[in-house]
Amino acid sequence: MSSIDPSGTFTLGDRPVRRLGYGAMQLAGPGVFGPPRDPEAARTVLREAVAAGVNHIDTADFYGPHVTNQLIREALHPYADDLVIVTKVAARRGDDGSWLPALAPAELTRAVHDNLRNLGLERLEVVNFRSMHAVHGPAEGSIEEPVSVLAELQRQGLIRHVGLSNVTPGQIAEARRITDIVCVQNHYNLAHRDDDALIDALAQERIAYVPYFPLGGFTPLQSSKLSSVAGRLGVPPMQVALAWLLRRSSNILLIPGTASADHLRQNLAAAGLELSAADCDELNDIQGAGPA
C-alpha cells in the first residue's frame, strides 16, 4: 500500500492517478531558470516521490528551459507503467529568464517535440495549453487557433490528451468544441477561490482540476489563521492547505512542488491528515480574512 493511498484517485484522461502528485517546477535553478545547484538532490526528490506512490508529475520544457524534463528522464526513465507525466506549452524563456508567449503553430509544434525528446517519450500523455492572454491570471480571448494546433498533433499521435491552464470558463467551452479537455490547471487555494463554481462544474463533467500556488496570495492575517489551525494539529501549514484541497472536491489533483526531500515528505503526509468539521469551518473563513 502506498503512503499516499488515502488521498484517493481520480481519472486523468483515461488513466487513474493518485490525487496527490508532484510538480517539478522548483527543480530548476532560481527563477525556474538554469540548472539546480545540486542535480543529484533533484533526482533524489523525483525518485522518492515515485517510491512514495506518486504517479502524476507535472512539468514543462520551458522550466529551465529543458532542465526539469531532463532531470525527470535521468531519474525515472524507463518510466513505470502507471506514471502519468503532464506537460504544458505556449511559453518560452528569454535569454534573461523572462517568460514570453510562444503561440505560433511552429512554436507549439516545436515545444511538443522538445518535450518528447527531453522526456524520452514517443507520445505525451497530457499536454496543457497555457493561455498567455494574461501572465498572472486568466483573461478572456480566443484560444481556438493554438488549441486546434494541439488537436492536430493529437490526431498525429504525438499527444494523447489535451488540457488547459490559466483559462476562463468561456475558453474551456471554446476548447471543448475542438477536442476533449481532460484537466484544467488554474490558481486556486484557501484564500484564492474565484474558481469555486468552475471546480464544481468540472466535477460534474469528470474533468480534473489541478490547482497551483496552494499558498500563493495569502495576506498576513490569512497566513496567521492557517498557521493557527496547523499549530493545533501539530503539522506544517502547507500540509493543512493541501489536506483542505483534497477535501474540497474529488476531482482536484494536487501537484505541490519542492526541491527538498524533507518538504516532499511533509507535503505527501497531507494524504493522511484528517480535518474535522470544525477545522474546515475555520479554514473556510480564511477566504474572507482581510489584511492584517
Side-chain angles (χ1 to χ4, degrees):
M1 177 177 174
S2 162
S3 64
I4 62 171
D5 278 353
S7 69
T9 63
F10 191 80
T11 302
L12 182 53
D14 55 1
R15 301 280 297 277
V17 296
R18 294 183 179 91
R19 293 180 58 218
L20 197 43
Y22 175 75
M25 187 170 104
Q26 293 188 35
L27 294 182
V32 201
F33 195 65
R37 183 172 59 250
D38 187 345
E40 183 52 35
R43 289 187 285 266
T44 296
V45 169
L46 285 161
R47 295 185 187 111
E48 184 162 336
V50 170
V54 167
N55 60 357
H56 169 208
I57 293 178
D58 180 83
T59 186
D61 206 59
F62 52 77
Y63 294 164
H66 316 307
V67 170
T68 61
N69 280 356
Q70 291 171 356
L71 288 168
I72 289 169
R73 180 176 184 174
E74 291 163 5
L76 303 176
H77 196 276
Y79 303 115
D81 290 342
D82 69 338
L83 181 62
V84 175
I85 299 175
V86 178
T87 189
K88 65 182 70 65
V89 296
R92 63 181 177 86
R93 307 305 295 277
D95 292 340
D96 59 353
S98 55
W99 301 82
L100 304 170
L103 300 169
E107 291 177 303
L108 294 168
T109 301
R110 182 165 58 248
V112 166
H113 283 281
D114 286 345
N115 276 280
L116 288 166
R117 182 180 65 256
N118 286 311
L119 287 168
L121 292 169
E122 295 183 355
R123 179 174 62 177
L124 299 171
E125 189 69 24
V126 182
V127 174
N128 285 329
F129 168 74
R130 207 286 187 184
S131 176
M132 297 294 286
H133 285 291
V135 175
H136 299 298
E140 294 294 355
S142 177
I143 59 172
E144 178 180 359
E145 182 177 355
V147 172
S148 296
V149 172
L150 295 185
E152 175 57 30
L153 294 170
Q154 187 179 34
R155 285 188 286 272
Q156 294 175 20
L158 299 179
I159 298 171
R160 190 170 188 189
H161 298 293
V162 175
L164 302 171
S165 178
N166 198 44
V167 288
T168 67
Q171 289 166 336
I172 296 168
E174 181 182 42
R176 293 183 72 192
R177 291 192 288 269
I178 299 167
T179 187
D180 288 339
I181 298 300
V182 301
C183 59
V184 172
Q185 188 178 102
N186 276 3
H187 180 193
Y188 181 85
N189 57 37
L190 271 165
H192 188 279
R193 298 180 58 181
D194 293 350
D195 275 359
D196 268 336
L198 176 59
I199 290 171
D200 295 338
L202 293 175
Q204 292 294 318
E205 300 289 337
R206 300 296 296 169
I207 296 173
Y209 184 91
V210 188
Y212 58 79
F213 295 151
L215 282 180
F218 278 42
T219 68
L221 178 56
Q222 289 166 339
S223 294
S224 68
K225 286 177 174 288
L226 176 61
S227 295
S228 175
V229 175
R232 188 170 66 245
L233 296 173
V235 297
M238 172 67 92
Q239 200 175 113
V240 175
L242 295 174
W244 180 87
L245 285 165
L246 286 172
R247 187 179 173 119
R248 167 63 181 81
S249 181
S250 63
N251 67 322
I252 286 181
L253 300 178
L254 301 185
I255 50 167
T258 179
S260 160
D262 286 341
H263 288 162
L264 172 70
R265 296 180 202 114
Q266 291 176 6
N267 291 343
L268 297 184
L273 181 61
E274 295 286 343
L275 298 177
S276 69
D279 293 330
C280 289
D281 287 344
E282 188 171 348
L283 292 168
N284 287 335
D285 285 342
I286 286 176
Q287 181 187 16

